[in-house]
Amino acid sequence: MAANRRFRKVVRIGPVQVATYYDGRGREKHTAACTAPRCGFSSDYDSRAAAELAARTHRCPAR
Protein backbone atom coordinates (compact mmCIF):
# COMPACT_ATOMS: atom_id res chain seq x y z
CA MET A 1 0.00 0.00 0.00
CA ALA A 2 1.53 3.27 -1.08
CA ALA A 3 0.70 6.19 1.18
CA ASN A 4 1.20 9.79 0.16
CA ARG A 5 2.24 11.41 3.43
CA ARG A 6 2.79 15.10 3.73
CA PHE A 7 5.28 15.78 6.47
CA ARG A 8 5.18 19.06 8.33
CA LYS A 9 7.14 20.54 11.21
CA VAL A 10 10.31 18.77 10.09
CA VAL A 11 13.18 19.21 12.54
CA ARG A 12 16.65 17.72 12.39
CA ILE A 13 18.27 16.57 15.65
CA GLY A 14 21.72 15.27 14.84
CA PRO A 15 21.36 12.64 12.09
CA VAL A 16 17.66 12.07 12.96
CA GLN A 17 14.75 13.92 11.36
CA VAL A 18 11.51 14.35 13.32
CA ALA A 19 8.30 15.16 11.45
CA THR A 20 4.53 15.29 11.95
CA TYR A 21 1.96 13.80 9.56
CA TYR A 22 -1.60 12.49 9.41
CA ASP A 23 -2.00 8.72 9.03
CA GLY A 24 -4.57 7.03 6.80
CA ARG A 25 -7.28 7.41 9.46
CA GLY A 26 -6.76 11.14 9.95
CA ARG A 27 -4.87 10.87 13.23
CA GLU A 28 -1.85 13.04 13.86
CA LYS A 29 1.34 10.97 14.15
CA HIS A 30 4.99 11.80 14.64
CA THR A 31 7.97 10.00 13.19
CA ALA A 32 11.69 9.90 13.86
CA ALA A 33 14.03 8.58 11.16
CA CYS A 34 17.83 8.45 11.01
CA THR A 35 19.34 9.74 7.78
CA ALA A 36 22.78 8.17 8.26
CA PRO A 37 23.78 5.59 5.64
CA ARG A 38 23.19 1.96 6.65
CA CYS A 39 21.42 2.86 9.90
CA GLY A 40 17.78 2.05 9.14
CA PHE A 41 16.28 3.53 12.35
CA SER A 42 12.74 4.87 12.00
CA SER A 43 9.74 4.75 14.26
CA ASP A 44 6.27 6.31 14.63
CA TYR A 45 4.97 7.85 17.85
CA ASP A 46 1.70 9.29 19.12
CA SER A 47 3.32 12.34 20.72
CA ARG A 48 5.87 14.82 19.42
CA ALA A 49 7.77 14.70 22.71
CA ALA A 50 8.31 10.96 22.39
CA ALA A 51 9.63 11.31 18.84
CA GLU A 52 12.04 14.08 19.85
CA LEU A 53 13.23 12.05 22.85
CA ALA A 54 13.94 9.10 20.58
CA ALA A 55 15.88 11.40 18.26
CA ARG A 56 17.96 12.83 21.08
CA THR A 57 18.81 9.43 22.61
CA HIS A 58 19.42 7.58 19.31
CA ARG A 59 22.91 6.12 19.05
CA CYS A 60 23.61 5.29 15.45
CA PRO A 61 25.38 1.92 14.99
CA ALA A 62 26.67 3.05 11.58
CA ARG A 63 29.05 5.61 13.12
Side-chain angles (χ1 to χ4, degrees):
M1 179 178 137
N4 184 9
R5 296 184 181 153
R6 292 191 174 249
F7 294 102
R8 46 192 187 89
K9 296 183 185 176
V10 179
V11 176
R12 188 174 182 103
I13 301 173
V16 181
Q17 284 188 337
V18 178
T20 302
Y21 69 96
Y22 288 105
D23 68 357
R25 298 178 183 227
R27 296 176 294 202
E28 189 176 65
K29 295 285 189 168
H30 310 276
T31 188
C34 186
T35 58
R38 299 183 316 266
C39 179
F41 167 77
S42 68
S43 189
D44 292 332
Y45 299 94
D46 290 330
S47 70
R48 179 78 182 199
E52 288 184 5
L53 178 65
R56 284 187 175 83
T57 59
H58 173 66
R59 296 294 172 244
C60 195
R63 284 187 183 179

